[in-house]
Amino acid sequence: MGKLIKPVQANQTLGSSLPHKNVQVEPSILSKDTQITGINKMSSTEKKASVFSNIPAEEDLKETSEAQFTEEIKELAESLNSVIEIYEYVRNNINFEAYYGSRKGAVGTLDQMAGNDIDQASLLISLLRYKGIPARYVRGTIEIPVEKVMGWTGGETPQNAVRILASLGIPTVSVVSGGKISNVRTEHVWVEAYVPYQYYRGAGPMKGQKIWVPLDPSFKQHEKIEGLDLSSIIDIDTEASIEGFKDGIIVSDTMLSVSRVNVQSVSEKIENVDAKIEEFINQKGLEKIKSEELIGGKRIIPQDLDMLPLSLPYKVDAVYEKTSVVPKELRENIVFSIGSNYTGSNDFKYEAYTPEVYGKRITLSWVPASSEDEKIINE
């Protein structure tokens, strides 16, 4: 079904400052159908970074909608003893997913053990702030060698690596050299934490001047896992199954949606496959095997640090803003509305920031205005 619906999906030395000069650029969005054959240049329109004090503010320690102090967050933070351990936990355990904006927050990211750059930043910030360490979001444009982007996103070709970012709404362009994609420039969010840096270089507890250290838990490399040959294990003809799924369905011109799917037939086939896989797992004693080792996928290549890095593992082209909360334009909302298609009226509208309602039950209810209305509702 994945092939049918989406056939193409699309270390640095230590220093005292970030390895960039502030070249102000406004990223352009690379659409799914863009031909990546020339040098895509970002607009030179100037964009000033927001003014943000080097002295931590009260807001840098506050609990927010996206960086909550739930019991799960508190328990995890208490189990980690240093900034290095906190950073390494998020960096080495939370899978990267490419989507634009704040969708899950710290709570959802920890629950699903996956998130994009903003949501992983929220998890890191919530853990740091709970431990009394000021932390904030930094938004800017970064440039990464395309090989690193492939290892980051899981894209098997440079073109697919770019499309994975760009097709999901992340402002992204490719830089072409010698007729090939050499680098990728994309909008990104990372974290700054205010820490006594010398402590993390082995100078002893709480020694050294405190500075803002840049940390990016979402940027990580992955290794591919082939998985088991399930088609032979469960004795199923993959191509025939795909053809069976295609019977009667209508695929959109953009190849991004399908309609008239026989849900019952699909469900029956999936249940049949599930039963055969479960039988195989029980027979071979593989109950504790991870899903990616069974069906294939990617695995984070862990990083073991002796000290915090002073720079980010890529080039920073521009810093747009530094904020204590996720900027409004990066917030993903869910909207419930009731209206009339005939009159165009909107009688009811409820909008919520998705991290605020993650994992919660939402109920829409109303009280009838009259006994006649109550009778109609009950009927």
Side-chain angles (χ1 to χ4, degrees), residues 44-256:
S44 60
T45 304
E46 219 176 271
K47 184 169 183 178
K48 296 181 180 179
S50 60
V51 177
F52 210 84
S53 172
N54 281 329
I55 301 174
E58 183 181 348
E59 289 75 16
D60 296 324
L61 284 167
K62 280 187 175 180
E63 180 181 13
T64 65
S65 299
E66 54 272 334
Q68 300 179 39
F69 300 160
T70 61
E71 290 304 315
E72 291 78 11
I73 296 290
K74 292 178 182 178
E75 183 178 346
L76 175 59
E78 293 291 351
S79 70
L80 303 170
N81 300 315
S82 67
V83 176
I84 293 178
E85 288 188 17
I86 292 173
Y87 167 71
E88 283 188 340
Y89 177 86
V90 182
R91 192 261 177 219
N92 292 341
N93 293 282
I94 306 299
N95 289 308
F96 175 73
E97 292 180 338
Y99 54 87
Y100 192 60
S102 174
R103 178 178 299 178
K104 304 177 183 179
V107 175
T109 302
L110 182 60
D111 180 52
Q112 298 185 17
M113 298 299 286
N116 69 349
D117 53 332
I118 302 175
D119 285 334
Q120 291 197 39
S122 293
L123 177 56
L124 179 59
I125 286 174
S126 67
L127 293 169
L128 291 171
R129 288 182 181 177
Y130 176 72
K131 300 282 274 191
I133 300 166
R136 61 194 183 188
Y137 300 88
V138 185
R139 180 186 181 192
T141 302
I142 64 175
E143 188 169 317
I144 315 168
V146 70
E147 295 80 10
K148 294 288 186 180
V149 178
M150 292 168 63
W152 182 32
T153 62
E156 295 185 357
T157 66
Q159 289 83 358
N160 280 351
V162 175
R163 286 183 177 128
I164 286 173
L165 296 176
S167 66
L168 295 171
I170 303 172
T172 303
V173 295
S174 57
V175 179
V176 178
S177 177
K180 297 181 179 180
I181 300 174
S182 60
N183 294 281
V184 175
R185 194 174 299 163
T186 185
E187 184 179 297
H188 195 62
V189 171
W190 61 95
V191 175
E192 280 188 349
Y194 195 66
V195 299
Y197 186 71
Q198 289 300 322
Y199 170 64
Y200 298 101
R201 293 179 64 87
M206 302 307 291
K207 290 185 178 180
Q209 182 180 357
K210 289 186 178 182
I211 59 173
W212 289 102
V213 174
L215 300 170
D216 186 356
S218 73
F219 187 76
K220 60 204 75 180
Q221 296 297 290
H222 299 81
E223 58 183 350
K224 186 176 180 181
I225 303 174
E226 295 296 338
L228 302 176
D229 184 2
L230 291 180
S231 58
S232 61
I233 291 171
I234 60 180
D235 189 24
I236 186 172
D237 187 336
T238 304
E239 294 300 324
S241 297
I242 292 176
E243 289 300 318
F245 285 132
K246 292 168 65 174
D247 290 343
I249 73 170
I250 298 175
V251 182
S252 69
D253 294 336
T254 61
M255 297 292 290
L256 294 176

Side-chain angles (χ1 to χ4, degrees), residues 22-30 40-49 100 139-142 169-173 185-188 317-321 329-330:
N22 285 338
V23 180
Q24 306 296 340
V25 292
E26 179 72 30
S28 59
I29 297 177
L30 178 65
N40 293 316
K41 295 183 179 179
M42 290 189 175
S43 168
S44 60
T45 304
E46 219 176 271
K47 184 169 183 178
K48 296 181 180 179
Y100 192 60
R139 180 186 181 192
T141 302
I142 64 175
I170 303 172
T172 303
V173 295
R185 194 174 299 163
T186 185
E187 184 179 297
H188 195 62
D317 280 333
V319 174
Y320 297 161
E321 59 185 344
E329 64 270 22
L330 296 182

Side-chain angles (χ1 to χ4, degrees), residues 204-320:
M206 302 307 291
K207 290 185 178 180
Q209 182 180 357
K210 289 186 178 182
I211 59 173
W212 289 102
V213 174
L215 300 170
D216 186 356
S218 73
F219 187 76
K220 60 204 75 180
Q221 296 297 290
H222 299 81
E223 58 183 350
K224 186 176 180 181
I225 303 174
E226 295 296 338
L228 302 176
D229 184 2
L230 291 180
S231 58
S232 61
I233 291 171
I234 60 180
D235 189 24
I236 186 172
D237 187 336
T238 304
E239 294 300 324
S241 297
I242 292 176
E243 289 300 318
F245 285 132
K246 292 168 65 174
D247 290 343
I249 73 170
I250 298 175
V251 182
S252 69
D253 294 336
T254 61
M255 297 292 290
L256 294 176
S257 64
V258 296
S259 57
R260 296 189 180 179
V261 177
N262 187 332
V263 177
Q264 182 177 353
S265 174
V266 172
S267 298
E268 289 174 354
K269 290 179 180 179
I270 291 175
E271 288 174 2
N272 182 42
V273 170
D274 283 346
K276 289 184 177 181
I277 292 175
E278 185 175 357
E279 181 182 358
F280 174 81
I281 289 174
N282 292 334
Q283 288 177 350
K284 300 295 183 179
L286 302 175
E287 288 82 3
K288 295 183 179 180
I289 191 173
K290 293 183 178 180
S291 59
E292 61 267 22
E293 295 174 355
L294 178 65
I295 63 176
K298 60 181 183 178
R299 174 169 50 209
I300 297 171
I301 300 174
Q303 183 182 57
D304 186 15
L305 297 174
D306 293 324
M307 62 186 74
L308 283 179
L310 264 180
S311 59
L312 295 168
Y314 43 68
K315 178 184 175 183
V316 177
D317 280 333
V319 174
Y320 297 161

